[in-house]
Amino acid sequence: MAAYRSLRRLNGAVSPCLELSALSSGVAPCADELALPVLEELTALAIDHLGDANDLWSYHKEFQEPGAIPTLLPHVLMAERDISLPEAVTATANLCDDLIRAFENKTSTIEPTAPVQVLRYLDVLRAWVRGNLEWSAHCHRYHLEG
C-alpha cells in the first residue's frame, strides 16, 4: 500500500491544486512557516484521504468500464491482504476514517501556537477534504442515474 500511496500522491495532481487554493486564500505556500515537516505530513494525510475517498466513490463507475484494469485501493488491499472485495471496501473506508483522525489529532497539537499562515493553510486542507466529499456525494460523474 505504501507504493500505491506514493504513486497516488503523484498522479492525482492534488498538490498543485492545494498550492493554488492556498494562494487564492492569501497563503504563501513557499513561506518558511509552511515548510514545517508537520505540514508536509498533514498535506500527505489530506491528499491520501482525497485519493482513498475518490477510490471508493469512483469504484462502481471505473470497475464497470469495458477493459477496466483494477487499480483502485480496494484492489490493492484485496491483493495485499488476501481479502474479499466487500472486506477491501470496508478496509478502505476505515483507512479514510484513520486518515481524518490522524489529521485532526496532528492539527490539534499545532493549532494553539500556529502562526496565522499555518492556520489558513490548515483551513485550505480541510476545505479540500470536505469539498471532495461533498462534490463526490452529488456529482453526476458518480451518480449517473440521478
Side-chain angles (χ1 to χ4, degrees):
M1 184 169 64
Y4 174 82
R5 281 254 163 86
S6 177
L7 292 171
R8 188 76 158 103
R9 288 178 192 158
L10 294 174
N11 78 4
V14 176
S15 292
C17 294
L18 289 174
E19 288 189 23
L20 287 171
S21 295
L23 285 170
S24 67
S25 300
V27 178
C30 297
D32 288 342
E33 60 257 15
L34 296 183
L36 300 170
V38 68
L39 290 182
E40 289 177 14
E41 184 180 347
L42 286 165
T43 300
L45 288 168
I47 291 171
D48 290 347
H49 185 276
L50 293 168
D52 293 0
N54 181 268
D55 283 0
L56 286 174
W57 284 107
S58 65
Y59 182 83
H60 181 72
K61 176 187 182 294
E62 293 183 30
F63 191 68
Q64 298 302 320
E65 292 180 6
I69 298 171
T71 58
L72 302 172
L73 184 56
H75 293 110
V76 172
L77 295 177
M78 286 171 65
E80 232 179 47
R81 299 178 182 181
D82 193 28
I83 57 177
S84 69
L85 176 60
E87 291 170 317
V89 168
T90 298
T92 301
N94 289 338
L95 287 169
C96 285
D97 291 345
D98 293 345
L99 289 164
I100 289 299
R101 231 181 331 276
F103 181 91
E104 288 303 327
N105 287 340
K106 182 80 52 185
T107 58
S108 70
T109 64
I110 66 168
E111 282 178 318
T113 58
V116 172
Q117 285 285 81
V118 169
L119 294 174
R120 291 174 86 179
Y121 183 70
L122 294 177
D123 287 343
V124 167
L125 294 178
R126 285 186 176 115
W128 264 89
V129 169
R130 177 65 187 157
N132 180 61
L133 293 173
E134 192 67 28
W135 176 79
S136 297
H138 296 90
C139 76
H140 184 70
R141 176 180 180 182
Y142 302 135
H143 306 284
L144 299 176
E145 68 282 347

